[in-house]
Amino acid sequence: MTRVHVIGGGLAGLSAAVELAGRAFVTVHEAGPACGGRARSYFDRALGARVDNGNHLLLSANAAAFRYLGLIGAEKTLKGPGAPVFPWFDLEAGLGWTLRLSRGRVPFWALPGGARVPGMRVAELGALLTLLRATGDRTVAECLKPGMLAHRLLEPFAVSALNTSCDIGSAVLLANIVRESLAKGGMACRPWYPAEGLSESFVDPAVRHLELLGGEVRTGARLSSIEAADGRVTALSFGEERVALGPEDHVVFAAPAPVAASVLGPFWPELTVPDAFESIVNLHFRLDAKPVLRGMVARTGFVGVVGGVTEWAFVKGDVISVTVSAANRYTARENEELCATIWGEVRRALGPVVAGGLPETPPPSRLIREKRATFTATPEQDRRRPGGRTPFANLVLAGDWTQTGLPSTIEGAIRSGVTAARTSGLV
Ligand SMILES: Cc1cc2nc3c(=O)[nH]c(=O)nc-3n(C[C@H](O)[C@H](O)[C@H](O)COP(=O)(O)OP(=O)(O)OC[C@H]3O[C@@H](n4cnc5c(N)ncnc54)[C@H](O)[C@@H]3O)c2cc1C
């Protein structure tokens, strides 16, 4: 059987490996101590709790992600309300509401009397049509119409989906997400997240699945260089260790974009990759005890927040985890000050739905700044994304930064892995 070397054990690499397992001998070479990359769980000693590096939300429209979970037997490890419902809180107005999308394509939810965004006008929905028709360099901000639909739904949705501000974010990339989700109706927009953790859903079952099918995962294996001749990769080097490739061997390169530029660039001068990145801040607060939730948040386990720094707050056991996207704008802010600000916002947004309220003093916390969480989803960066094919006959690319048509997302990463496996000709 052919041997395939997968470089990088993030979700793109794991997805390619899962696709190829059983059809080839698959070895995943992961530089870090564990697989998962930007979607991983770990035990945080300071907090005394297992947490995810960052909250990740999927929608039921994420077909490739759900197919992957099915292949590795982990489809039951996600949880969600089972309906397209999203509780929100506007900090400036001190107002909470639940957006209940209509199940089908017709947006009955937007009509007066429906469970719509407070203060919105039906005419504002026209922004979605403008967005869906957007081409080239148009930004999200150029498509939105001022109003409460933009302020309380479309802007926060865009910033979370693109991890980029609306002023510079690509309308085309956002439109691709809208086409696959909102435009298909509420059933495509049911939110999901790992019941236990990202690794328990997306990583550990994949590694077990691979090993069952005779594959192997090598952690601490950082690809440092390649050798190539006659349009083929002939050897891979991991520091001192050199792995020679046989004539039938293939490589799926699923390490991040900067690694592609440094390792493959010397052999492939035309290669361009995204080179601007946005950070995401995640702040985990550990409470004394698991809070008793009331209302819609008890059903969803999360709330969307507008009008402050906080964007999403998830309640998982005794940990409240806050996500702040497009967080380069907060680089200069001290952790302690951010923590106090965000805790104040969490108390206002979640306090009323927690039995007994939330304490005034911030509980023990851990702030994680993922500096290169995603590439900046601008039209210019999108143009720098390569497809999966390369000048090497036996090497294909995967990763959320390759040309998936989507911004950096789990869905994009997993899709890229499937495409890479198919492009290799082994599937
Ligand atoms: C905080 C945060 C929140 C997010 N929220 C969401 C969300 O809500 N919904 C969503 O869909 N997406 C979200 N994303 C994006 C999602 O996590 C990524 O799109 C996805 O995990 C990328 O997977 P990947 O395999 O393409 O890349 P990575 O996860 O970066 O995988 C690359 C792997 O390669 C390894 N590697 C690096 N160098 C080498 C080398 N030289 N040799 C071998 N291995 C190497 C790395 O260690 C890593 O494991 C979020 C990301 C972050 C950081």
Side-chain angles (χ1 to χ4, degrees):
M1 232 194 281
T2 309
R3 182 169 288 281
V4 180
H5 298 273
V6 176
I7 309 299
L11 299 190
L14 289 176
S15 147
V18 163
E19 246 7 81
L20 291 161
R23 297 174 160 109
F25 291 116
V26 179
T27 303
V28 177
H29 305 269
E30 164 55 43
C35 288
R38 279 169 284 151
R40 65 188 185 281
S41 314
Y42 73 100
F43 184 79
D44 188 292
R45 284 203 193 148
L47 274 188
R50 192 168 161 82
V51 292
D52 288 344
N53 67 313
N55 298 314
H56 281 61
L57 196 69
L58 282 100
L59 296 178
S60 34
N62 296 154
F66 281 95
R67 177 176 169 276
Y68 167 85
L69 290 171
L71 288 176
I72 62 174
E75 65 271 59
K76 299 244 155 55
T77 64
L78 298 189
K79 72 173 185 183
V85 288
F86 295 83
W88 287 93
F89 193 86
D90 183 333
L91 292 162
E92 284 159 341
L95 177 70
W97 70 96
T98 295
L99 173 72
R100 285 186 182 81
L101 297 175
S102 325
R103 294 188 159 235
R105 282 171 193 262
V106 185
F108 294 117
W109 60 269
L111 299 174
R116 64 182 190 163
V117 177
M120 72 169 275
R121 290 167 294 115
V122 178
E124 287 180 69
L125 280 179
L128 288 174
L129 291 179
T130 313
L131 192 71
L132 289 171
R133 286 193 208 111
T135 52
D137 281 351
R138 281 207 100 177
T139 63
V140 174
E142 284 166 356
C143 298
L144 298 185
K145 292 176 193 298
M148 282 301 165
L149 183 68
H151 179 62
R152 289 182 170 159
L153 182 63
L154 299 183
E155 281 169 10
F157 170 64
V159 171
S160 307
L162 298 180
N163 193 32
T164 301
S165 80
C166 294
D167 293 344
I168 56 170
S170 158
V172 171
L173 285 176
L174 186 66
N176 289 344
I177 290 202
V178 169
R179 217 166 269 125
E180 293 185 11
S181 55
L182 211 50
K184 288 195 169 159
M187 289 306 275
C189 301
R190 285 166 293 153
W192 298 94
Y193 56 90
E196 208 177 331
L198 283 163
S199 293
E200 285 78 5
S201 286
F202 287 94
V203 183
D204 302 344
V207 171
R208 281 197 296 273
H209 175 86
L210 282 179
E211 288 173 348
L212 261 176
L213 291 179
E216 59 172 344
V217 174
R218 296 173 69 220
T219 52
R222 182 179 297 278
L223 180 75
S224 45
S225 61
I226 61 163
E227 291 166 39
D230 301 327
R232 294 183 66 81
V233 176
T234 52
L236 305 170
S237 288
F238 301 87
E240 299 290 288
E241 185 196 7
R242 179 176 179 278
V243 177
L245 302 189
E248 300 294 315
D249 292 358
H250 278 72
V251 181
V252 174
F253 187 98
V259 184
S262 67
V263 173
L264 304 180
F267 298 87
W268 183 6
E270 304 79 28
L271 173 67
T272 62
V273 298
D275 58 1
F277 299 90
E278 258 294 348
S279 60
I280 295 182
V281 166
N282 257 266
L283 183 49
H284 303 287
F285 295 100
R286 173 117 195 243
L287 304 175
D288 286 345
K290 188 177 164 183
V292 176
L293 298 171
R294 293 187 290 233
M296 187 50 78
V297 180
R299 182 168 167 200
T300 59
F302 65 81
V303 61
V305 183
V306 294
V309 178
T310 307
E311 285 165 2
W312 298 95
F314 284 74
V315 186
K316 287 187 183 167
D318 58 2
V319 175
I320 295 180
S321 296
V322 169
T323 300
V324 183
S325 309
N328 288 359
R329 60 198 149 141
Y330 300 120
T331 306
R333 287 177 67 170
E334 297 290 338
N335 285 3
E336 217 169 296
E337 184 266 322
L338 265 183
C339 178
T341 302
I342 291 175
W343 181 248
E345 295 176 356
V346 167
R347 282 190 75 224
R348 291 185 56 212
L350 279 178
V353 295
V354 171
L358 289 168
E360 200 172 327
T361 315
S365 63
R366 160 72 76 190
L367 189 143
I368 305 170
R369 290 181 200 253
E370 284 274 5
K371 291 203 175 107
R372 287 183 169 180
T374 70
F375 69 87
T376 311
T378 58
E380 186 230 339
Q381 289 296 312
D382 192 33
R383 279 196 293 274
R384 295 183 63 84
R385 300 166 82 185
R389 286 188 195 281
T390 71
F392 312 103
N394 60 342
L395 183 143
V396 290
L397 299 179
D400 63 355
W401 54 273
T402 58
Q403 194 50 263
T404 64
L406 297 175
S408 279
T409 51
I410 286 183
E411 177 70 6
I414 290 178
R415 230 181 247 186
S416 77
V418 175
T419 309
R422 291 182 183 159
T423 310
S424 73
L426 299 171
V427 174

